[in-house]
Amino acid sequence: NAGVTQTPKFQVLKTGQSMTLQCAQDMNHNSMYWYRQDPGMGLRLIYYSASEGTTDKGEVPNGYNVSRLNKREFSLRLESAAPSQTSVYFCASSRRQGTNQPQHFGDGTRLSIL
Amino acid sequence: RKEVEQDPGPFNVPEGATVAFNCTYSNSASQSFFWYRQDCRKEPKLLMSVYSSGNEDGRFTAQLNRASQYISLLIRDSKLSDSATYLCVVNGAGGSYIPTFGRGTSLIVHP
């Protein structure tokens, strides 16, 4: 029972490079989320997808794009990486947005931008 | 005022102690509430949901006070393995159904 799977687990990029963080869930959840976590800042929502076919901005969307490829997969893209995007990125899913359903998290992608 | 606020701690307690954390939220229309546990460099994991009437899971008790707009987590008989950061999550804190996380409270249980 994999739950939420994120790839890669670690990545080092140079400023200006692009990359896509992958996330897949096997729990048949409708809603998926991308967060970043920085020291002292807690978890901040980047983008979310309430259901397949929809995406919306969260608290800190600048510099990122997302794709809800299908019900299982929700990817996060950095088009031109900047050092300020050095962070730990977590993907999460929940059965449905707006209900008393908790989120389940992947084990994170640790991203460093040089 | 932040939407969801927690005392960052750290709370430094001996094994066997009872410790309690509070988490305040600003939107009175918030719908649902959770406590998560996060170990260093790991993902957050659901500890327990928080129900209006309060709920207990072993050594852990969660309470909701809607009038004062806070939730609490009580840990009895603390274990070394309870050392972690405890995050509160509020759905609807910002006026939408998006979960909002507090910044977490650090707990250190020492021998």
Short mmCIF file of all heavy atoms in Angstrom, two decimals, chain A residues 37-97:
data_model
loop_
_atom_site.label_atom_id
_atom_site.label_comp_id
_atom_site.label_asym_id
_atom_site.label_seq_id
_atom_site.Cartn_x
_atom_site.Cartn_y
_atom_site.Cartn_z
N GLN A 37 7.96 23.51 2.61
CA GLN A 37 8.23 23.70 4.03
C GLN A 37 9.64 24.24 4.19
O GLN A 37 10.61 23.59 3.79
CB GLN A 37 8.07 22.40 4.81
CG GLN A 37 8.16 22.61 6.33
CD GLN A 37 7.83 21.35 7.11
OE1 GLN A 37 8.17 20.25 6.71
NE2 GLN A 37 7.16 21.52 8.25
N ASP A 38 9.71 25.41 4.78
CA ASP A 38 10.98 26.06 5.05
C ASP A 38 11.14 26.22 6.56
O ASP A 38 10.14 26.34 7.27
CB ASP A 38 11.03 27.43 4.37
CG ASP A 38 10.79 27.32 2.88
OD1 ASP A 38 11.66 26.74 2.20
OD2 ASP A 38 9.74 27.77 2.39
N PRO A 39 12.37 26.26 7.05
CA PRO A 39 12.59 26.40 8.50
C PRO A 39 11.87 27.62 9.04
O PRO A 39 12.00 28.73 8.51
CB PRO A 39 14.10 26.54 8.60
CG PRO A 39 14.63 25.86 7.38
CD PRO A 39 13.63 26.13 6.30
N GLY A 40 11.10 27.42 10.12
CA GLY A 40 10.42 28.53 10.77
C GLY A 40 9.17 29.03 10.05
O GLY A 40 8.50 29.93 10.55
N MET A 41 8.87 28.46 8.89
CA MET A 41 7.72 28.96 8.10
C MET A 41 6.55 27.99 8.11
O MET A 41 5.48 28.34 7.68
CB MET A 41 8.16 29.21 6.66
CG MET A 41 9.21 30.28 6.50
SD MET A 41 8.61 31.88 7.07
CE MET A 41 7.33 32.21 5.88
N GLY A 42 6.75 26.79 8.54
CA GLY A 42 5.65 25.84 8.47
C GLY A 42 5.37 25.41 7.04
O GLY A 42 6.13 25.72 6.11
N LEU A 43 4.29 24.73 6.86
CA LEU A 43 3.87 24.26 5.54
C LEU A 43 3.07 25.35 4.83
O LEU A 43 2.11 25.87 5.39
CB LEU A 43 3.00 23.01 5.68
CG LEU A 43 3.75 21.72 5.93
CD1 LEU A 43 2.87 20.71 6.62
CD2 LEU A 43 4.26 21.14 4.62
N ARG A 44 3.46 25.67 3.62
CA ARG A 44 2.74 26.68 2.85
C ARG A 44 2.24 26.06 1.56
O ARG A 44 3.00 25.42 0.84
CB ARG A 44 3.64 27.88 2.57
CG ARG A 44 4.00 28.68 3.82
CD ARG A 44 4.81 29.92 3.49
NE ARG A 44 6.13 29.59 3.00
CZ ARG A 44 6.99 30.47 2.45
NH1 ARG A 44 6.61 31.73 2.30
NH2 ARG A 44 8.17 30.08 2.06
N LEU A 45 0.98 26.31 1.27
CA LEU A 45 0.34 25.71 0.10
C LEU A 45 0.75 26.44 -1.16
O LEU A 45 0.62 27.66 -1.26
CB LEU A 45 -1.18 25.75 0.29
CG LEU A 45 -2.02 25.11 -0.79
CD1 LEU A 45 -1.79 23.59 -0.83
CD2 LEU A 45 -3.50 25.40 -0.54
N ILE A 46 1.21 25.68 -2.14
CA ILE A 46 1.63 26.26 -3.42
C ILE A 46 0.46 26.24 -4.41
O ILE A 46 0.04 27.27 -4.91
CB ILE A 46 2.82 25.49 -4.01
CG1 ILE A 46 3.97 25.43 -3.01
CG2 ILE A 46 3.29 26.14 -5.31
CD1 ILE A 46 5.10 24.50 -3.44
N TYR A 47 -0.04 25.05 -4.68
CA TYR A 47 -1.19 24.83 -5.55
C TYR A 47 -1.98 23.66 -5.01
O TYR A 47 -1.45 22.81 -4.32
CB TYR A 47 -0.74 24.50 -6.98
CG TYR A 47 -0.54 25.66 -7.90
CD1 TYR A 47 0.73 26.23 -8.03
CD2 TYR A 47 -1.58 26.17 -8.67
CE1 TYR A 47 0.94 27.31 -8.91
CE2 TYR A 47 -1.37 27.24 -9.54
CZ TYR A 47 -0.11 27.80 -9.65
OH TYR A 47 0.10 28.86 -10.51
N TYR A 48 -3.23 23.60 -5.40
CA TYR A 48 -4.03 22.44 -5.07
C TYR A 48 -4.96 22.11 -6.23
O TYR A 48 -5.20 22.94 -7.12
CB TYR A 48 -4.81 22.62 -3.77
CG TYR A 48 -5.89 23.68 -3.82
CD1 TYR A 48 -7.21 23.34 -4.04
CD2 TYR A 48 -5.57 25.03 -3.61
CE1 TYR A 48 -8.20 24.32 -4.07
CE2 TYR A 48 -6.55 26.01 -3.65
CZ TYR A 48 -7.87 25.65 -3.87
OH TYR A 48 -8.84 26.61 -3.90
N SER A 49 -5.47 20.90 -6.20
CA SER A 49 -6.41 20.43 -7.20
C SER A 49 -7.56 19.77 -6.45
O SER A 49 -7.40 18.70 -5.87
CB SER A 49 -5.74 19.43 -8.14
OG SER A 49 -6.68 18.83 -8.98
N ALA A 50 -8.70 20.44 -6.44
CA ALA A 50 -9.84 19.92 -5.68
C ALA A 50 -10.36 18.62 -6.30
O ALA A 50 -10.85 17.74 -5.58
CB ALA A 50 -10.95 20.96 -5.62
N SER A 51 -10.27 18.53 -7.61
CA SER A 51 -10.70 17.31 -8.30
C SER A 51 -10.00 17.26 -9.64
O SER A 51 -9.40 18.25 -10.09
CB SER A 51 -12.22 17.31 -8.48
OG SER A 51 -12.62 18.43 -9.25
N GLU A 52 -10.08 16.11 -10.28
CA GLU A 52 -9.45 15.95 -11.58
C GLU A 52 -9.98 17.01 -12.53
O GLU A 52 -11.17 17.25 -12.62
CB GLU A 52 -9.77 14.55 -12.11
CG GLU A 52 -9.05 14.19 -13.38
CD GLU A 52 -9.40 12.79 -13.86
OE1 GLU A 52 -10.13 12.08 -13.14
OE2 GLU A 52 -8.93 12.42 -14.94
N GLY A 53 -9.04 17.68 -13.22
CA GLY A 53 -9.43 18.70 -14.17
C GLY A 53 -9.43 20.11 -13.65
O GLY A 53 -9.64 21.06 -14.40
N THR A 54 -9.20 20.28 -12.34
CA THR A 54 -9.17 21.63 -11.77
C THR A 54 -7.88 21.84 -10.98
O THR A 54 -7.38 20.92 -10.33
CB THR A 54 -10.35 21.87 -10.82
OG1 THR A 54 -10.19 21.07 -9.65
CG2 THR A 54 -11.67 21.55 -11.47
N THR A 55 -7.35 23.05 -11.07
CA THR A 55 -6.22 23.43 -10.24
C THR A 55 -6.42 24.87 -9.78
O THR A 55 -7.03 25.68 -10.49
CB THR A 55 -4.87 23.32 -10.97
OG1 THR A 55 -4.89 24.19 -12.11
CG2 THR A 55 -4.60 21.90 -11.43
N ASP A 56 -5.91 25.19 -8.61
CA ASP A 56 -6.04 26.54 -8.07
C ASP A 56 -4.78 26.93 -7.32
O ASP A 56 -4.08 26.07 -6.77
CB ASP A 56 -7.24 26.63 -7.12
CG ASP A 56 -8.55 26.66 -7.85
OD1 ASP A 56 -8.86 27.70 -8.45
OD2 ASP A 56 -9.24 25.62 -7.84
N LYS A 57 -4.54 28.23 -7.28
CA LYS A 57 -3.38 28.75 -6.58
C LYS A 57 -3.60 28.69 -5.08
O LYS A 57 -4.69 28.90 -4.58
CB LYS A 57 -3.11 30.20 -6.99
CG LYS A 57 -2.73 30.36 -8.45
CD LYS A 57 -2.52 31.83 -8.80
CE LYS A 57 -2.14 31.97 -10.26
NZ LYS A 57 -1.97 33.39 -10.65
N GLY A 58 -2.48 28.44 -4.40
CA GLY A 58 -2.50 28.51 -2.95
C GLY A 58 -1.87 29.81 -2.47
O GLY A 58 -1.99 30.84 -3.12
N GLU A 59 -1.16 29.71 -1.37
CA GLU A 59 -0.58 30.89 -0.73
C GLU A 59 0.65 31.41 -1.47
O GLU A 59 0.89 32.62 -1.52
CB GLU A 59 -0.22 30.52 0.71
CG GLU A 59 0.38 31.64 1.54
CD GLU A 59 0.82 31.15 2.92
OE1 GLU A 59 0.57 29.97 3.27
OE2 GLU A 59 1.44 31.94 3.64
N VAL A 60 1.46 30.51 -2.02
CA VAL A 60 2.75 30.91 -2.63
C VAL A 60 2.94 30.30 -4.01
O VAL A 60 3.85 29.51 -4.24
CB VAL A 60 3.92 30.52 -1.69
CG1 VAL A 60 3.97 31.42 -0.47
CG2 VAL A 60 3.84 29.05 -1.29
N PRO A 61 2.13 30.67 -5.01
CA PRO A 61 2.19 30.01 -6.32
C PRO A 61 3.26 30.54 -7.28
O PRO A 61 3.58 29.89 -8.27
CB PRO A 61 0.80 30.30 -6.89
CG PRO A 61 0.45 31.64 -6.30
CD PRO A 61 1.03 31.64 -4.92
N ASN A 62 3.81 31.73 -6.98
CA ASN A 62 4.71 32.36 -7.96
C ASN A 62 5.94 31.51 -8.22
O ASN A 62 6.62 31.07 -7.30
CB ASN A 62 5.13 33.75 -7.46
CG ASN A 62 3.97 34.73 -7.49
OD1 ASN A 62 2.95 34.48 -8.14
ND2 ASN A 62 4.11 35.83 -6.80
N GLY A 63 6.26 31.32 -9.50
CA GLY A 63 7.42 30.54 -9.89
C GLY A 63 7.13 29.07 -10.12
O GLY A 63 8.04 28.31 -10.44
N TYR A 64 5.86 28.68 -9.95
CA TYR A 64 5.48 27.27 -10.09
C TYR A 64 4.29 27.13 -11.04
O TYR A 64 3.48 28.03 -11.18
CB TYR A 64 5.05 26.69 -8.73
CG TYR A 64 6.07 26.83 -7.64
CD1 TYR A 64 6.00 27.90 -6.74
CD2 TYR A 64 7.07 25.89 -7.47
CE1 TYR A 64 6.93 28.03 -5.72
CE2 TYR A 64 8.00 26.00 -6.44
CZ TYR A 64 7.92 27.08 -5.57
OH TYR A 64 8.83 27.20 -4.56
N ASN A 65 4.22 25.96 -11.65
CA ASN A 65 3.03 25.55 -12.38
C ASN A 65 2.70 24.12 -12.00
O ASN A 65 3.58 23.37 -11.55
CB ASN A 65 3.26 25.64 -13.89
CG ASN A 65 3.23 27.07 -14.38
OD1 ASN A 65 2.24 27.77 -14.22
ND2 ASN A 65 4.33 27.52 -14.95
N VAL A 66 1.45 23.75 -12.19
CA VAL A 66 1.04 22.39 -11.85
C VAL A 66 0.22 21.79 -12.99
O VAL A 66 -0.34 22.51 -13.82
CB VAL A 66 0.20 22.33 -10.55
CG1 VAL A 66 1.06 22.64 -9.33
CG2 VAL A 66 -1.00 23.26 -10.63
N SER A 67 0.17 20.46 -12.96
CA SER A 67 -0.68 19.72 -13.90
C SER A 67 -1.33 18.58 -13.16
O SER A 67 -0.63 17.78 -12.51
CB SER A 67 0.14 19.17 -15.07
OG SER A 67 0.69 20.21 -15.84
N ARG A 68 -2.65 18.53 -13.24
CA ARG A 68 -3.35 17.35 -12.70
C ARG A 68 -3.54 16.42 -13.89
O ARG A 68 -4.48 16.54 -14.67
CB ARG A 68 -4.69 17.75 -12.10
CG ARG A 68 -5.45 16.58 -11.46
CD ARG A 68 -4.83 16.16 -10.16
NE ARG A 68 -5.47 15.01 -9.56
CZ ARG A 68 -6.44 15.08 -8.66
NH1 ARG A 68 -6.91 16.26 -8.27
NH2 ARG A 68 -6.96 13.97 -8.16
N LEU A 69 -2.62 15.50 -14.04
CA LEU A 69 -2.54 14.67 -15.24
C LEU A 69 -3.73 13.72 -15.34
O LEU A 69 -4.24 13.43 -16.43
CB LEU A 69 -1.23 13.90 -15.22
CG LEU A 69 0.02 14.78 -15.11
CD1 LEU A 69 1.25 13.93 -14.85
CD2 LEU A 69 0.19 15.62 -16.37
N ASN A 70 -4.15 13.20 -14.22
CA ASN A 70 -5.30 12.31 -14.11
C ASN A 70 -5.66 12.27 -12.62
O ASN A 70 -5.09 13.04 -11.83
CB ASN A 70 -4.97 10.92 -14.66
CG ASN A 70 -3.65 10.40 -14.14
OD1 ASN A 70 -3.45 10.33 -12.92
ND2 ASN A 70 -2.74 10.06 -15.04
N LYS A 71 -6.54 11.39 -12.24
CA LYS A 71 -6.95 11.39 -10.85
C LYS A 71 -5.79 11.04 -9.92
O LYS A 71 -5.70 11.51 -8.80
CB LYS A 71 -8.11 10.40 -10.64
CG LYS A 71 -8.76 10.53 -9.28
CD LYS A 71 -10.02 9.71 -9.18
CE LYS A 71 -10.71 9.96 -7.85
NZ LYS A 71 -11.97 9.20 -7.73
N ARG A 72 -4.89 10.21 -10.38
CA ARG A 72 -3.79 9.73 -9.54
C ARG A 72 -2.64 10.71 -9.43
O ARG A 72 -1.94 10.72 -8.43
CB ARG A 72 -3.25 8.43 -10.12
CG ARG A 72 -4.13 7.22 -9.98
CD ARG A 72 -3.37 5.97 -10.43
NE ARG A 72 -2.24 5.68 -9.57
CZ ARG A 72 -0.96 5.74 -9.94
NH1 ARG A 72 -0.63 6.11 -11.16
NH2 ARG A 72 0.00 5.43 -9.10
N GLU A 73 -2.37 11.50 -10.49
CA GLU A 73 -1.10 12.19 -10.58
C GLU A 73 -1.25 13.72 -10.60
O GLU A 73 -2.12 14.26 -11.29
CB GLU A 73 -0.36 11.75 -11.85
CG GLU A 73 -0.03 10.26 -11.86
CD GLU A 73 0.53 9.84 -13.19
OE1 GLU A 73 -0.24 9.72 -14.17
OE2 GLU A 73 1.76 9.64 -13.27
N PHE A 74 -0.34 14.36 -9.87
CA PHE A 74 -0.37 15.82 -9.76
C PHE A 74 1.09 16.27 -9.72
O PHE A 74 1.80 15.98 -8.76
CB PHE A 74 -1.09 16.22 -8.47
CG PHE A 74 -1.37 17.68 -8.30
CD1 PHE A 74 -1.74 18.49 -9.36
CD2 PHE A 74 -1.29 18.26 -7.03
CE1 PHE A 74 -2.03 19.83 -9.18
CE2 PHE A 74 -1.57 19.61 -6.84
CZ PHE A 74 -1.94 20.39 -7.91
N SER A 75 1.53 16.95 -10.79
CA SER A 75 2.94 17.32 -10.87
C SER A 75 3.14 18.81 -10.63
O SER A 75 2.25 19.63 -10.88
CB SER A 75 3.50 16.93 -12.24
OG SER A 75 2.84 17.64 -13.26
N LEU A 76 4.31 19.14 -10.16
CA LEU A 76 4.71 20.53 -9.87
C LEU A 76 5.93 20.86 -10.70
O LEU A 76 6.92 20.14 -10.65
CB LEU A 76 5.03 20.68 -8.38
CG LEU A 76 5.48 22.07 -7.92
CD1 LEU A 76 4.31 23.05 -7.93
CD2 LEU A 76 6.09 21.99 -6.51
N ARG A 77 5.86 21.95 -11.44
CA ARG A 77 6.97 22.32 -12.33
C ARG A 77 7.58 23.64 -11.93
O ARG A 77 6.84 24.62 -11.66
CB ARG A 77 6.51 22.37 -13.78
CG ARG A 77 7.65 22.68 -14.75
CD ARG A 77 7.33 22.30 -16.16
NE ARG A 77 8.40 22.66 -17.06
CZ ARG A 77 9.48 21.89 -17.28
NH1 ARG A 77 9.63 20.73 -16.66
NH2 ARG A 77 10.41 22.30 -18.14
N LEU A 78 8.90 23.66 -11.88
CA LEU A 78 9.65 24.89 -11.71
C LEU A 78 10.23 25.22 -13.09
O LEU A 78 11.05 24.48 -13.62
CB LEU A 78 10.79 24.72 -10.71
CG LEU A 78 10.44 24.64 -9.23
CD1 LEU A 78 9.73 23.35 -8.88
CD2 LEU A 78 11.71 24.79 -8.39
N GLU A 79 9.79 26.31 -13.68
CA GLU A 79 10.22 26.64 -15.04
C GLU A 79 11.64 27.19 -15.08
O GLU A 79 12.42 26.89 -15.96
CB GLU A 79 9.26 27.65 -15.66
CG GLU A 79 7.88 27.11 -15.97
CD GLU A 79 7.89 26.08 -17.10
OE1 GLU A 79 8.93 25.92 -17.76
OE2 GLU A 79 6.84 25.44 -17.32
N SER A 80 11.97 28.02 -14.11
CA SER A 80 13.30 28.63 -14.04
C SER A 80 13.66 28.74 -12.56
O SER A 80 13.30 29.71 -11.90
CB SER A 80 13.29 30.01 -14.72
OG SER A 80 14.57 30.62 -14.62
N ALA A 81 14.35 27.73 -12.09
CA ALA A 81 14.58 27.62 -10.65
C ALA A 81 15.40 28.79 -10.11
O ALA A 81 16.34 29.28 -10.76
CB ALA A 81 15.29 26.31 -10.34
N ALA A 82 15.03 29.21 -8.90
CA ALA A 82 15.73 30.30 -8.21
C ALA A 82 16.16 29.80 -6.83
O ALA A 82 15.49 28.93 -6.25
CB ALA A 82 14.81 31.51 -8.06
N PRO A 83 17.24 30.34 -6.26
CA PRO A 83 17.68 29.90 -4.94
C PRO A 83 16.59 29.99 -3.87
O PRO A 83 16.58 29.19 -2.93
CB PRO A 83 18.85 30.85 -4.64
CG PRO A 83 19.40 31.19 -5.99
CD PRO A 83 18.19 31.28 -6.89
N SER A 84 15.66 30.94 -4.02
CA SER A 84 14.57 31.08 -3.05
C SER A 84 13.62 29.88 -3.06
O SER A 84 12.78 29.74 -2.15
CB SER A 84 13.77 32.35 -3.32
OG SER A 84 13.20 32.31 -4.62
N GLN A 85 13.72 29.04 -4.07
CA GLN A 85 12.88 27.86 -4.16
C GLN A 85 13.54 26.63 -3.52
O GLN A 85 12.96 25.54 -3.56
CB GLN A 85 12.51 27.58 -5.62
CG GLN A 85 11.62 28.67 -6.20
CD GLN A 85 11.29 28.44 -7.66
OE1 GLN A 85 12.20 28.30 -8.50
NE2 GLN A 85 10.02 28.40 -7.99
N THR A 86 14.71 26.82 -2.95
CA THR A 86 15.31 25.76 -2.15
C THR A 86 14.40 25.47 -0.97
O THR A 86 14.08 26.37 -0.19
CB THR A 86 16.70 26.18 -1.66
OG1 THR A 86 17.57 26.30 -2.78
CG2 THR A 86 17.26 25.16 -0.68
N SER A 87 13.96 24.21 -0.86
CA SER A 87 12.97 23.90 0.15
C SER A 87 12.73 22.39 0.16
O SER A 87 13.31 21.65 -0.64
CB SER A 87 11.65 24.63 -0.16
OG SER A 87 10.72 24.51 0.91
N VAL A 88 11.88 21.97 1.08
CA VAL A 88 11.36 20.60 1.06
C VAL A 88 9.93 20.69 0.54
O VAL A 88 9.12 21.46 1.06
CB VAL A 88 11.39 19.95 2.44
CG1 VAL A 88 10.86 18.52 2.36
CG2 VAL A 88 12.81 19.95 3.01
N TYR A 89 9.63 19.90 -0.47
CA TYR A 89 8.32 19.94 -1.10
C TYR A 89 7.55 18.66 -0.75
O TYR A 89 8.05 17.56 -0.88
CB TYR A 89 8.47 20.05 -2.62
CG TYR A 89 9.00 21.38 -3.05
CD1 TYR A 89 10.37 21.63 -3.06
CD2 TYR A 89 8.14 22.41 -3.41
CE1 TYR A 89 10.87 22.88 -3.43
CE2 TYR A 89 8.62 23.66 -3.78
CZ TYR A 89 9.98 23.88 -3.78
OH TYR A 89 10.47 25.12 -4.14
N PHE A 90 6.33 18.88 -0.28
CA PHE A 90 5.46 17.76 0.07
C PHE A 90 4.22 17.78 -0.80
O PHE A 90 3.59 18.82 -0.98
CB PHE A 90 5.03 17.83 1.54
CG PHE A 90 6.11 17.52 2.52
CD1 PHE A 90 6.71 18.54 3.25
CD2 PHE A 90 6.54 16.22 2.73
CE1 PHE A 90 7.71 18.27 4.17
CE2 PHE A 90 7.54 15.94 3.64
CZ PHE A 90 8.13 16.96 4.36
N CYS A 91 3.87 16.61 -1.29
CA CYS A 91 2.60 16.41 -1.96
C CYS A 91 1.66 15.72 -0.98
O CYS A 91 2.10 14.91 -0.14
CB CYS A 91 2.82 15.53 -3.19
SG CYS A 91 1.32 15.10 -4.09
N ALA A 92 0.39 16.04 -1.06
CA ALA A 92 -0.60 15.42 -0.18
C ALA A 92 -1.88 15.17 -0.96
O ALA A 92 -2.11 15.79 -2.01
CB ALA A 92 -0.89 16.32 1.03
N SER A 93 -2.68 14.27 -0.45
CA SER A 93 -3.98 14.02 -1.07
C SER A 93 -5.01 13.83 0.03
O SER A 93 -4.68 13.50 1.17
CB SER A 93 -3.93 12.78 -1.97
OG SER A 93 -3.78 11.60 -1.20
N SER A 94 -6.26 14.06 -0.33
CA SER A 94 -7.36 13.79 0.60
C SER A 94 -8.56 13.31 -0.21
O SER A 94 -8.65 13.57 -1.41
CB SER A 94 -7.73 15.04 1.42
OG SER A 94 -8.22 16.07 0.58
N ARG A 95 -9.45 12.62 0.49
CA ARG A 95 -10.58 12.03 -0.22
C ARG A 95 -11.36 13.09 -0.97
O ARG A 95 -11.74 12.92 -2.12
CB ARG A 95 -11.48 11.30 0.77
CG ARG A 95 -12.65 10.56 0.12
CD ARG A 95 -13.35 9.70 1.12
NE ARG A 95 -12.45 8.66 1.64
CZ ARG A 95 -12.80 7.79 2.57
NH1 ARG A 95 -13.99 7.85 3.11
NH2 ARG A 95 -11.94 6.88 2.97
N ARG A 96 -11.60 14.20 -0.28
CA ARG A 96 -12.34 15.28 -0.92
C ARG A 96 -12.03 16.55 -0.18
O ARG A 96 -11.82 16.56 1.02
CB ARG A 96 -13.84 14.98 -0.87
CG ARG A 96 -14.71 15.85 -1.77
CD ARG A 96 -16.13 15.31 -1.86
NE ARG A 96 -16.20 14.14 -2.72
CZ ARG A 96 -16.45 12.91 -2.30
NH1 ARG A 96 -16.64 12.68 -1.01
NH2 ARG A 96 -16.50 11.90 -3.14
N GLN A 97 -11.98 17.65 -0.87
CA GLN A 97 -11.76 18.94 -0.24
C GLN A 97 -13.03 19.39 0.47
O GLN A 97 -14.13 19.15 -0.03
CB GLN A 97 -11.38 19.97 -1.30
CG GLN A 97 -11.06 21.34 -0.76
CD GLN A 97 -10.95 22.35 -1.89
OE1 GLN A 97 -10.66 21.99 -3.02
NE2 GLN A 97 -11.19 23.61 -1.60
#
